[in-house]
Amino acid sequence: MDRHALICRNILERPQITQRELAQAMDISLGSTNRLIKECLERNLMVVLADGRYEITSEGREYLEPYRVDGAVIIAAGFGSRFVPLTFETPKGLLEVFGERMIERQIRQLHQAGVTDITIVVGYLKEKFEYLIDKYNVKLLYNREYASKNTLATIYHARRLFKGRNMYLLASDNWMRENMYHAYECCSWYSSVYQEGDTSEWCLSFNKKGKISRVEIGGRDSWVMYGPAFFRKEWSEYYLPVLEAYYSIPGTEQFHWENVYMDLVNGTALRRLRESGLSHLQGRPLKEYGPEQEKLTLYINRQDSRQVYEFENLEELRRFDTRYQNHSDNEAMELVSRVLHIPEADIRHIRCLKSGMTNQSFLFSVSGKQYICRIPGPGTEFLINRRQEAAVYDAVQPLGITEHVIYLNGENGYKISEYYDGARNSDASSWQDVNRCMALLRQVHRADIHVEHRFNIRERIEFYEKLCMTHGGIPFEDYNAVKEKMTDLMDRLDAMNRPETLSHIDSVADNFLFLADGSLRLIDWEYAGMCDPLIDVAMCAIYSYYDEEQTDHLIDLYLERKPTAQEAAVIYSYVALGGFLWSLWAVYKSHIGEEFGEYTLIMYRYAKRYYNRMQTVLPQAASGGSV
């Protein structure tokens, strides 16, 4: 740390500052401050004016120039699961604290310090940040891996912004009471606050000069990493090659960027790098990346406990800004308050359950009782008819086999239901579980329940195909050929005039719920409608990623006997068609920003593989037995 530069910076910012105030600002003794001032005067970095004030000379300004801050990177890519349901609609950094958005407060503080070259790394709900370009002249950088990787990957994608530059690194969801940014920074540092008692934060050990010597996750009565950081260009020059190497090492996908630094300062980075087959990083031997390397030094920047805030969850934000206790301006919170006839403050212990393939859900408690609120996911208004879903729930209610629904809006799909403590989802690898699930499907199919709408797989395939074509196309090279095969299968099934009953359609293992008392529920009837009941067996198979042997066993369990040739052919036809349908569904979802990894490919393979089996079997099976 260059303390002469720090003296010059403080005097430049506060011409009226006293020696005692300098000592306090620099966290050093008055004697050390007096000595540093004397040395600065001797080097003509500053002069004493007639009124006793100090003034920086042109030599002092030139001396400060290498320490000028070049810009800032603000991390804003993450989902913020601990702030649901607010973050279902708004990225965490765009939430307001005392009427001011957290990210905007930080941008304004940076501007006040003269730092205007600001890049925001976005991911989740990236479009929400676009207005900041016009309002503050910031730049946006999209992190395509925001949903699958942690901040190590975020910094990796933004690494060019740090090379050869002195840069702040901020989190969009931090709140600083006073402006802690400057036009000049004289060392690389990490903000820190003192936490009493047990903590799960990243705890720091450091020497008398504030040089960090060790980092431990979790501790007691410790200074912890908390808030922004600053990287001098010399520090980034050594740190970034290690981060780039870590990015390519399997198992680091969920690492924070601080994990890399922790390994460096704790002396474990060299072992990890050598085990990955590396001997040099960008021409430097690995021995230059040991914990004793001075250029990799970070200093602790100790802050008052009331200065920096990293809100861990919505409960903390509510305590800090009491407006959130009863006026969150969030549609889901307002709905729960209205339906359960309670103030928002009574909605407690909120936890994200799912930001899933179709819906978003959160768990909450009111007066000790737990509930789930479902919020339809992006684009589902095009995919699901909520009035039909409500009609199905009304129709199956006498069976007593669904979750207890307290509220279901047939217009927008919002749903509130009771949460079953101690319940678990079905295990697709447990044939005992699967047998009970098939028995419940049989009960539904044999209940002679009728609703006014059908689940027409041909219509759904054409619908999803149209959505894909209008949102970016269909990426499969052989799509047209496969589509012809699927049309052939549907024509053959139509010619058979199969019987229809109320079918669930979405018979994934997660929708079968085993309660603590041993009873079983079938939940989430969004896609349900009148259809060939054998489609539910096929959907269960493909959702579980079953192979042919497992699917054969599933069929036996459902039918309680071996299938006829026709029954087996029909089910495997639906396996192919279901795979084709859901692959199109996944392609559309990817076009609107939701990726499902290998799911798309697995579903498409089901379509191709089982058509090849059915094209010879199905015509011969048409005269076989029926269900």
Side-chain angles (χ1 to χ4, degrees), residues 429-481:
S429 66
S430 166
W431 290 117
Q432 183 176 359
D433 277 10
V434 174
N435 189 33
R436 289 196 59 193
C437 295
M438 292 302 99
L440 187 57
L441 280 179
R442 283 197 308 272
Q443 179 185 351
V444 173
H445 297 157
R446 294 172 179 175
D448 195 28
I449 294 174
H450 181 84
V451 293
E452 296 301 319
H453 63 276
R454 299 179 64 242
F455 180 84
N456 185 322
I457 197 164
R458 186 190 297 271
E459 181 274 332
R460 288 289 89 185
I461 286 173
E462 291 174 353
F463 175 68
Y464 289 142
E465 179 186 63
K466 183 178 179 181
L467 283 177
C468 290
M469 291 302 187
T470 57
H471 284 79
I474 298 172
F476 303 117
E477 290 288 337
D478 58 353
Y479 175 76
N480 289 332

Short mmCIF file of all heavy atoms in Angstrom, two decimals, residues 429-481:
data_model
loop_
_atom_site.label_atom_id
_atom_site.label_comp_id
_atom_site.label_asym_id
_atom_site.label_seq_id
_atom_site.Cartn_x
_atom_site.Cartn_y
_atom_site.Cartn_z
N SER A 429 -36.95 -44.23 -9.59
CA SER A 429 -36.13 -45.45 -9.58
C SER A 429 -36.66 -46.50 -8.61
O SER A 429 -36.14 -47.61 -8.54
CB SER A 429 -34.69 -45.10 -9.21
OG SER A 429 -34.60 -44.63 -7.88
N SER A 430 -37.72 -46.15 -7.85
CA SER A 430 -38.32 -47.09 -6.90
C SER A 430 -39.59 -47.67 -7.52
O SER A 430 -40.60 -46.97 -7.66
CB SER A 430 -38.66 -46.38 -5.59
OG SER A 430 -39.51 -47.19 -4.79
N TRP A 431 -39.55 -48.95 -7.87
CA TRP A 431 -40.72 -49.56 -8.49
C TRP A 431 -41.89 -49.66 -7.52
O TRP A 431 -43.05 -49.69 -7.93
CB TRP A 431 -40.38 -50.92 -9.06
CG TRP A 431 -39.48 -50.83 -10.26
CD1 TRP A 431 -38.22 -51.31 -10.39
CD2 TRP A 431 -39.78 -50.18 -11.51
NE1 TRP A 431 -37.70 -51.00 -11.62
CE2 TRP A 431 -38.65 -50.32 -12.34
CE3 TRP A 431 -40.89 -49.48 -12.00
CZ2 TRP A 431 -38.60 -49.80 -13.63
CZ3 TRP A 431 -40.84 -48.96 -13.27
CH2 TRP A 431 -39.71 -49.12 -14.07
N GLN A 432 -41.58 -49.66 -6.22
CA GLN A 432 -42.66 -49.64 -5.23
C GLN A 432 -43.43 -48.32 -5.31
O GLN A 432 -44.67 -48.30 -5.31
CB GLN A 432 -42.08 -49.84 -3.82
CG GLN A 432 -43.15 -49.90 -2.73
CD GLN A 432 -42.54 -50.19 -1.37
OE1 GLN A 432 -41.33 -50.37 -1.23
NE2 GLN A 432 -43.38 -50.22 -0.35
N ASP A 433 -42.68 -47.21 -5.39
CA ASP A 433 -43.31 -45.91 -5.57
C ASP A 433 -44.09 -45.86 -6.88
O ASP A 433 -45.25 -45.42 -6.93
CB ASP A 433 -42.25 -44.80 -5.60
CG ASP A 433 -41.83 -44.33 -4.21
OD1 ASP A 433 -42.22 -44.99 -3.23
OD2 ASP A 433 -41.12 -43.32 -4.13
N VAL A 434 -43.44 -46.29 -7.95
CA VAL A 434 -44.04 -46.20 -9.28
C VAL A 434 -45.32 -47.03 -9.34
O VAL A 434 -46.32 -46.62 -9.97
CB VAL A 434 -43.04 -46.65 -10.36
CG1 VAL A 434 -43.70 -46.71 -11.72
CG2 VAL A 434 -41.83 -45.72 -10.38
N ASN A 435 -45.34 -48.17 -8.70
CA ASN A 435 -46.54 -49.01 -8.70
C ASN A 435 -47.72 -48.27 -8.09
O ASN A 435 -48.85 -48.30 -8.62
CB ASN A 435 -46.26 -50.30 -7.93
CG ASN A 435 -47.38 -51.31 -8.08
OD1 ASN A 435 -48.04 -51.40 -9.12
ND2 ASN A 435 -47.63 -52.08 -7.02
N ARG A 436 -47.50 -47.58 -6.99
CA ARG A 436 -48.59 -46.82 -6.36
C ARG A 436 -49.03 -45.66 -7.25
O ARG A 436 -50.21 -45.33 -7.32
CB ARG A 436 -48.14 -46.30 -5.00
CG ARG A 436 -47.98 -47.39 -3.94
CD ARG A 436 -47.92 -46.81 -2.55
NE ARG A 436 -49.13 -46.04 -2.24
CZ ARG A 436 -49.24 -45.24 -1.20
NH1 ARG A 436 -48.22 -45.08 -0.37
NH2 ARG A 436 -50.35 -44.57 -0.97
N CYS A 437 -48.07 -45.04 -7.93
CA CYS A 437 -48.41 -43.93 -8.84
C CYS A 437 -49.28 -44.43 -9.99
O CYS A 437 -50.25 -43.77 -10.39
CB CYS A 437 -47.14 -43.29 -9.37
SG CYS A 437 -46.14 -42.46 -8.11
N MET A 438 -48.95 -45.58 -10.53
CA MET A 438 -49.75 -46.14 -11.64
C MET A 438 -51.15 -46.50 -11.16
O MET A 438 -52.14 -46.35 -11.90
CB MET A 438 -49.06 -47.36 -12.23
CG MET A 438 -47.75 -47.06 -12.97
SD MET A 438 -47.95 -45.89 -14.35
CE MET A 438 -47.40 -44.35 -13.58
N ALA A 439 -51.27 -46.97 -9.91
CA ALA A 439 -52.58 -47.29 -9.35
C ALA A 439 -53.43 -46.02 -9.26
O ALA A 439 -54.65 -46.04 -9.54
CB ALA A 439 -52.43 -47.94 -7.98
N LEU A 440 -52.80 -44.90 -8.89
CA LEU A 440 -53.54 -43.64 -8.81
C LEU A 440 -53.97 -43.17 -10.20
O LEU A 440 -55.10 -42.67 -10.38
CB LEU A 440 -52.68 -42.57 -8.13
CG LEU A 440 -53.38 -41.25 -7.81
CD1 LEU A 440 -54.62 -41.49 -6.94
CD2 LEU A 440 -52.43 -40.29 -7.11
N LEU A 441 -53.11 -43.34 -11.20
CA LEU A 441 -53.51 -42.99 -12.56
C LEU A 441 -54.68 -43.85 -13.02
O LEU A 441 -55.62 -43.34 -13.66
CB LEU A 441 -52.33 -43.17 -13.53
CG LEU A 441 -51.29 -42.05 -13.57
CD1 LEU A 441 -50.19 -42.40 -14.56
CD2 LEU A 441 -51.92 -40.71 -13.94
N ARG A 442 -54.65 -45.13 -12.72
CA ARG A 442 -55.78 -46.00 -13.08
C ARG A 442 -57.07 -45.51 -12.44
O ARG A 442 -58.14 -45.50 -13.07
CB ARG A 442 -55.51 -47.44 -12.63
CG ARG A 442 -54.56 -48.23 -13.49
CD ARG A 442 -54.68 -49.73 -13.23
NE ARG A 442 -54.56 -50.06 -11.81
CZ ARG A 442 -53.42 -50.31 -11.18
NH1 ARG A 442 -52.28 -50.22 -11.85
NH2 ARG A 442 -53.40 -50.63 -9.91
N GLN A 443 -56.97 -45.08 -11.16
CA GLN A 443 -58.15 -44.58 -10.47
C GLN A 443 -58.74 -43.37 -11.21
O GLN A 443 -59.97 -43.28 -11.39
CB GLN A 443 -57.79 -44.19 -9.04
CG GLN A 443 -58.98 -43.62 -8.24
CD GLN A 443 -58.56 -43.12 -6.86
OE1 GLN A 443 -57.43 -43.35 -6.42
NE2 GLN A 443 -59.47 -42.43 -6.18
N VAL A 444 -57.88 -42.46 -11.64
CA VAL A 444 -58.35 -41.29 -12.37
C VAL A 444 -59.00 -41.71 -13.68
O VAL A 444 -60.10 -41.25 -14.05
CB VAL A 444 -57.17 -40.33 -12.64
CG1 VAL A 444 -57.62 -39.19 -13.55
CG2 VAL A 444 -56.61 -39.79 -11.33
N HIS A 445 -58.34 -42.60 -14.41
CA HIS A 445 -58.84 -43.00 -15.73
C HIS A 445 -60.16 -43.75 -15.64
O HIS A 445 -60.99 -43.69 -16.57
CB HIS A 445 -57.80 -43.88 -16.43
CG HIS A 445 -56.51 -43.17 -16.70
ND1 HIS A 445 -55.31 -43.82 -16.89
CD2 HIS A 445 -56.22 -41.83 -16.80
CE1 HIS A 445 -54.34 -42.94 -17.12
NE2 HIS A 445 -54.88 -41.73 -17.06
N ARG A 446 -60.38 -44.46 -14.56
CA ARG A 446 -61.60 -45.27 -14.42
C ARG A 446 -62.72 -44.52 -13.69
O ARG A 446 -63.80 -45.08 -13.47
CB ARG A 446 -61.28 -46.56 -13.67
CG ARG A 446 -60.33 -47.48 -14.46
CD ARG A 446 -59.88 -48.67 -13.62
NE ARG A 446 -59.00 -49.56 -14.37
CZ ARG A 446 -58.39 -50.63 -13.86
NH1 ARG A 446 -58.57 -50.94 -12.57
NH2 ARG A 446 -57.60 -51.38 -14.61
N ALA A 447 -62.46 -43.26 -13.30
CA ALA A 447 -63.45 -42.52 -12.51
C ALA A 447 -64.57 -41.94 -13.37
O ALA A 447 -65.52 -41.37 -12.83
CB ALA A 447 -62.76 -41.40 -11.75
N ASP A 448 -64.47 -42.08 -14.67
CA ASP A 448 -65.50 -41.60 -15.59
C ASP A 448 -65.77 -40.10 -15.39
O ASP A 448 -66.92 -39.65 -15.35
CB ASP A 448 -66.79 -42.41 -15.41
CG ASP A 448 -67.75 -42.19 -16.59
OD1 ASP A 448 -67.26 -41.90 -17.70
OD2 ASP A 448 -68.97 -42.29 -16.39
N ILE A 449 -64.68 -39.33 -15.24
CA ILE A 449 -64.79 -37.88 -15.10
C ILE A 449 -64.67 -37.25 -16.48
O ILE A 449 -63.80 -37.62 -17.28
CB ILE A 449 -63.68 -37.34 -14.18
CG1 ILE A 449 -63.88 -37.86 -12.75
CG2 ILE A 449 -63.65 -35.81 -14.19
CD1 ILE A 449 -62.76 -37.51 -11.80
N HIS A 450 -65.54 -36.29 -16.73
CA HIS A 450 -65.55 -35.66 -18.06
C HIS A 450 -65.38 -34.15 -17.90
O HIS A 450 -65.98 -33.52 -17.03
CB HIS A 450 -66.88 -35.93 -18.77
CG HIS A 450 -66.95 -35.32 -20.14
ND1 HIS A 450 -66.42 -35.94 -21.25
CD2 HIS A 450 -67.47 -34.14 -20.56
CE1 HIS A 450 -66.62 -35.16 -22.30
NE2 HIS A 450 -67.26 -34.06 -21.91
N VAL A 451 -64.51 -33.58 -18.74
CA VAL A 451 -64.39 -32.13 -18.85
C VAL A 451 -64.64 -31.76 -20.31
O VAL A 451 -64.62 -32.62 -21.21
CB VAL A 451 -63.00 -31.62 -18.40
CG1 VAL A 451 -62.81 -31.84 -16.90
CG2 VAL A 451 -61.88 -32.29 -19.19
N GLU A 452 -64.87 -30.48 -20.57
CA GLU A 452 -65.29 -30.04 -21.90
C GLU A 452 -64.14 -29.90 -22.90
O GLU A 452 -64.38 -29.73 -24.09
CB GLU A 452 -66.04 -28.71 -21.80
CG GLU A 452 -67.35 -28.80 -21.03
CD GLU A 452 -68.30 -29.81 -21.66
OE1 GLU A 452 -68.40 -29.84 -22.91
OE2 GLU A 452 -68.94 -30.57 -20.90
N HIS A 453 -62.90 -29.97 -22.46
CA HIS A 453 -61.78 -29.76 -23.37
C HIS A 453 -60.94 -31.03 -23.52
O HIS A 453 -60.91 -31.88 -22.63
CB HIS A 453 -60.89 -28.61 -22.89
CG HIS A 453 -60.23 -28.88 -21.56
ND1 HIS A 453 -60.86 -28.64 -20.35
CD2 HIS A 453 -58.99 -29.35 -21.25
CE1 HIS A 453 -60.05 -28.97 -19.37
NE2 HIS A 453 -58.91 -29.40 -19.88
N ARG A 454 -60.25 -31.13 -24.65
CA ARG A 454 -59.40 -32.28 -24.95
C ARG A 454 -57.93 -31.85 -24.92
O ARG A 454 -57.61 -30.69 -25.14
CB ARG A 454 -59.70 -32.85 -26.34
CG ARG A 454 -61.10 -33.36 -26.52
CD ARG A 454 -61.29 -33.89 -27.94
NE ARG A 454 -60.44 -35.05 -28.22
CZ ARG A 454 -59.50 -35.10 -29.15
NH1 ARG A 454 -59.25 -34.03 -29.90
NH2 ARG A 454 -58.79 -36.19 -29.34
N PHE A 455 -57.09 -32.82 -24.66
CA PHE A 455 -55.67 -32.62 -24.93
C PHE A 455 -55.41 -33.28 -26.27
O PHE A 455 -55.39 -34.50 -26.40
CB PHE A 455 -54.78 -33.24 -23.85
CG PHE A 455 -53.31 -33.04 -24.12
CD1 PHE A 455 -52.68 -31.86 -23.74
CD2 PHE A 455 -52.56 -34.01 -24.78
CE1 PHE A 455 -51.33 -31.66 -24.00
CE2 PHE A 455 -51.22 -33.82 -25.06
CZ PHE A 455 -50.60 -32.63 -24.67
N ASN A 456 -55.24 -32.46 -27.29
CA ASN A 456 -55.05 -32.93 -28.66
C ASN A 456 -53.58 -32.79 -29.01
O ASN A 456 -53.08 -31.68 -29.23
CB ASN A 456 -55.92 -32.09 -29.62
CG ASN A 456 -55.86 -32.62 -31.03
OD1 ASN A 456 -54.83 -33.06 -31.52
ND2 ASN A 456 -57.01 -32.57 -31.71
N ILE A 457 -52.87 -33.90 -29.06
CA ILE A 457 -51.43 -33.82 -29.23
C ILE A 457 -51.05 -33.28 -30.60
O ILE A 457 -50.04 -32.60 -30.76
CB ILE A 457 -50.77 -35.20 -28.96
CG1 ILE A 457 -49.25 -35.01 -28.73
CG2 ILE A 457 -51.05 -36.19 -30.10
CD1 ILE A 457 -48.59 -36.21 -28.11
N ARG A 458 -51.87 -33.52 -31.62
CA ARG A 458 -51.59 -32.98 -32.94
C ARG A 458 -51.68 -31.43 -32.90
O ARG A 458 -50.80 -30.74 -33.42
CB ARG A 458 -52.57 -33.53 -33.98
CG ARG A 458 -52.25 -33.10 -35.43
CD ARG A 458 -53.38 -33.48 -36.36
NE ARG A 458 -53.62 -34.91 -36.44
CZ ARG A 458 -53.01 -35.73 -37.30
NH1 ARG A 458 -52.12 -35.25 -38.16
NH2 ARG A 458 -53.30 -37.01 -37.30
N GLU A 459 -52.73 -30.97 -32.28
CA GLU A 459 -52.90 -29.51 -32.18
C GLU A 459 -51.77 -28.88 -31.38
O GLU A 459 -51.26 -27.81 -31.74
CB GLU A 459 -54.25 -29.21 -31.53
CG GLU A 459 -54.57 -27.72 -31.39
CD GLU A 459 -54.00 -27.11 -30.09
OE1 GLU A 459 -53.85 -27.86 -29.10
OE2 GLU A 459 -53.70 -25.90 -30.10
N ARG A 460 -51.33 -29.54 -30.30
CA ARG A 460 -50.26 -29.00 -29.48
C ARG A 460 -48.93 -28.98 -30.24
O ARG A 460 -48.15 -28.02 -30.13
CB ARG A 460 -50.08 -29.82 -28.20
CG ARG A 460 -51.18 -29.65 -27.17
CD ARG A 460 -51.14 -28.27 -26.50
NE ARG A 460 -51.91 -27.25 -27.22
CZ ARG A 460 -51.95 -25.97 -26.88
NH1 ARG A 460 -51.26 -25.53 -25.85
NH2 ARG A 460 -52.66 -25.12 -27.57
N ILE A 461 -48.66 -30.02 -30.99
CA ILE A 461 -47.42 -30.05 -31.77
C ILE A 461 -47.41 -28.93 -32.79
O ILE A 461 -46.42 -28.20 -32.95
CB ILE A 461 -47.25 -31.43 -32.46
CG1 ILE A 461 -46.84 -32.48 -31.43
CG2 ILE A 461 -46.23 -31.36 -33.60
CD1 ILE A 461 -46.82 -33.90 -31.96
N GLU A 462 -48.52 -28.73 -33.49
CA GLU A 462 -48.59 -27.65 -34.48
C GLU A 462 -48.47 -26.29 -33.81
O GLU A 462 -47.85 -25.37 -34.36
CB GLU A 462 -49.92 -27.76 -35.25
CG GLU A 462 -49.98 -28.99 -36.15
CD GLU A 462 -51.33 -29.17 -36.81
OE1 GLU A 462 -52.26 -28.41 -36.44
OE2 GLU A 462 -51.47 -30.06 -37.66
N PHE A 463 -49.05 -26.18 -32.61
CA PHE A 463 -48.99 -24.92 -31.88
C PHE A 463 -47.56 -24.58 -31.46
O PHE A 463 -47.08 -23.47 -31.66
CB PHE A 463 -49.90 -24.99 -30.66
CG PHE A 463 -49.85 -23.79 -29.77
CD1 PHE A 463 -50.35 -22.57 -30.19
CD2 PHE A 463 -49.30 -23.87 -28.50
CE1 PHE A 463 -50.29 -21.44 -29.36
CE2 PHE A 463 -49.23 -22.76 -27.67
CZ PHE A 463 -49.74 -21.55 -28.11
N TYR A 464 -46.86 -25.56 -30.87
CA TYR A 464 -45.48 -25.33 -30.44
C TYR A 464 -44.57 -25.08 -31.64
O TYR A 464 -43.63 -24.28 -31.56
CB TYR A 464 -44.96 -26.51 -29.63
CG TYR A 464 -45.58 -26.62 -28.25
CD1 TYR A 464 -45.90 -27.86 -27.70
CD2 TYR A 464 -45.84 -25.49 -27.48
CE1 TYR A 464 -46.46 -27.98 -26.45
CE2 TYR A 464 -46.41 -25.59 -26.22
CZ TYR A 464 -46.72 -26.84 -25.71
OH TYR A 464 -47.27 -26.94 -24.46
N GLU A 465 -44.84 -25.77 -32.72
CA GLU A 465 -44.05 -25.55 -33.93
C GLU A 465 -44.19 -24.11 -34.40
O GLU A 465 -43.19 -23.45 -34.75
CB GLU A 465 -44.50 -26.51 -35.03
CG GLU A 465 -43.74 -26.35 -36.34
CD GLU A 465 -44.31 -27.21 -37.45
OE1 GLU A 465 -45.50 -26.99 -37.81
OE2 GLU A 465 -43.60 -28.09 -37.95
N LYS A 466 -45.40 -23.60 -34.39
CA LYS A 466 -45.63 -22.22 -34.80
C LYS A 466 -44.92 -21.23 -33.87
O LYS A 466 -44.31 -20.25 -34.33
CB LYS A 466 -47.14 -21.93 -34.84
CG LYS A 466 -47.48 -20.53 -35.32
CD LYS A 466 -48.99 -20.33 -35.39
CE LYS A 466 -49.33 -18.91 -35.86
NZ LYS A 466 -50.81 -18.70 -35.91
N LEU A 467 -44.98 -21.49 -32.56
CA LEU A 467 -44.29 -20.63 -31.61
C LEU A 467 -42.79 -20.61 -31.88
O LEU A 467 -42.14 -19.56 -31.85
CB LEU A 467 -44.54 -21.10 -30.18
CG LEU A 467 -45.90 -20.77 -29.56
CD1 LEU A 467 -45.99 -21.37 -28.16
CD2 LEU A 467 -46.13 -19.27 -29.49
N CYS A 468 -42.23 -21.80 -32.14
CA CYS A 468 -40.79 -21.88 -32.41
C CYS A 468 -40.43 -21.09 -33.67
O CYS A 468 -39.44 -20.35 -33.70
CB CYS A 468 -40.36 -23.34 -32.57
SG CYS A 468 -40.41 -24.31 -31.05
N MET A 469 -41.22 -21.26 -34.70
CA MET A 469 -40.93 -20.61 -35.98
C MET A 469 -41.00 -19.09 -35.88
O MET A 469 -40.27 -18.37 -36.55
CB MET A 469 -41.89 -21.10 -37.06
CG MET A 469 -41.67 -22.56 -37.45
SD MET A 469 -39.98 -22.86 -38.06
CE MET A 469 -40.13 -24.55 -38.62
N THR A 470 -41.87 -18.58 -35.02
CA THR A 470 -42.01 -17.13 -34.89
C THR A 470 -41.06 -16.54 -33.85
O THR A 470 -41.01 -15.33 -33.69
CB THR A 470 -43.46 -16.76 -34.51
OG1 THR A 470 -43.82 -17.44 -33.30
CG2 THR A 470 -44.41 -17.13 -35.62
N HIS A 471 -40.31 -17.39 -33.15
CA HIS A 471 -39.39 -16.89 -32.12
C HIS A 471 -37.93 -17.26 -32.40
O HIS A 471 -37.08 -17.12 -31.51
CB HIS A 471 -39.78 -17.44 -30.74
CG HIS A 471 -40.98 -16.77 -30.15
ND1 HIS A 471 -42.27 -17.08 -30.54
CD2 HIS A 471 -41.09 -15.78 -29.21
CE1 HIS A 471 -43.12 -16.33 -29.85
NE2 HIS A 471 -42.42 -15.53 -29.05
N GLY A 472 -37.63 -17.73 -33.59
CA GLY A 472 -36.22 -18.04 -33.86
C GLY A 472 -35.97 -19.32 -34.61
O GLY A 472 -34.82 -19.66 -34.91
N GLY A 473 -37.02 -20.08 -34.92
CA GLY A 473 -36.85 -21.28 -35.72
C GLY A 473 -36.61 -22.54 -34.91
O GLY A 473 -36.59 -22.52 -33.67
N ILE A 474 -36.44 -23.65 -35.61
CA ILE A 474 -36.23 -24.96 -35.00
C ILE A 474 -34.84 -25.45 -35.41
O ILE A 474 -34.54 -25.55 -36.61
CB ILE A 474 -37.32 -25.96 -35.44
CG1 ILE A 474 -38.69 -25.45 -34.95
CG2 ILE A 474 -37.03 -27.35 -34.89
CD1 ILE A 474 -39.86 -26.25 -35.47
N PRO A 475 -33.96 -25.74 -34.46
CA PRO A 475 -32.55 -25.98 -34.79
C PRO A 475 -32.22 -27.38 -35.32
O PRO A 475 -31.10 -27.58 -35.80
CB PRO A 475 -31.84 -25.74 -33.45
CG PRO A 475 -32.86 -26.11 -32.42
CD PRO A 475 -34.19 -25.70 -33.00
N PHE A 476 -33.14 -28.34 -35.25
CA PHE A 476 -32.82 -29.71 -35.66
C PHE A 476 -32.67 -29.79 -37.18
O PHE A 476 -33.58 -29.40 -37.92
CB PHE A 476 -33.90 -30.68 -35.18
CG PHE A 476 -34.12 -30.65 -33.69
CD1 PHE A 476 -35.34 -30.24 -33.16
CD2 PHE A 476 -33.12 -31.01 -32.81
CE1 PHE A 476 -35.54 -30.21 -31.79
CE2 PHE A 476 -33.31 -30.99 -31.44
CZ PHE A 476 -34.53 -30.58 -30.93
N GLU A 477 -31.55 -30.33 -37.65
CA GLU A 477 -31.28 -30.40 -39.08
C GLU A 477 -32.28 -31.29 -39.81
O GLU A 477 -32.64 -31.03 -40.95
CB GLU A 477 -29.85 -30.92 -39.32
CG GLU A 477 -28.75 -29.95 -38.93
CD GLU A 477 -28.65 -28.78 -39.89
OE1 GLU A 477 -29.09 -28.92 -41.04
OE2 GLU A 477 -28.14 -27.72 -39.48
N ASP A 478 -32.72 -32.35 -39.14
CA ASP A 478 -33.63 -33.31 -39.80
C ASP A 478 -35.08 -33.12 -39.36
O ASP A 478 -35.88 -34.05 -39.43
CB ASP A 478 -33.17 -34.74 -39.50
CG ASP A 478 -33.12 -35.05 -38.00
OD1 ASP A 478 -33.31 -34.11 -37.19
OD2 ASP A 478 -32.87 -36.21 -37.65
N TYR A 479 -35.42 -31.92 -38.92
CA TYR A 479 -36.74 -31.69 -38.35
C TYR A 479 -37.87 -32.06 -39.31
O TYR A 479 -38.83 -32.73 -38.91
CB TYR A 479 -36.91 -30.24 -37.91
CG TYR A 479 -38.31 -29.96 -37.41
CD1 TYR A 479 -38.72 -30.40 -36.16
CD2 TYR A 479 -39.25 -29.30 -38.22
CE1 TYR A 479 -40.01 -30.17 -35.71
CE2 TYR A 479 -40.54 -29.08 -37.78
CZ TYR A 479 -40.92 -29.52 -36.51
OH TYR A 479 -42.20 -29.32 -36.08
N ASN A 480 -37.79 -31.65 -40.56
CA ASN A 480 -38.88 -31.90 -41.51
C ASN A 480 -39.12 -33.39 -41.70
O ASN A 480 -40.28 -33.85 -41.76
CB ASN A 480 -38.59 -31.23 -42.85
CG ASN A 480 -38.69 -29.72 -42.77
OD1 ASN A 480 -39.43 -29.18 -41.95
ND2 ASN A 480 -37.93 -29.02 -43.61
N ALA A 481 -38.04 -34.16 -41.77
CA ALA A 481 -38.18 -35.61 -41.93
C ALA A 481 -38.81 -36.23 -40.69
O ALA A 481 -39.69 -37.11 -40.80
CB ALA A 481 -36.81 -36.23 -42.21
#
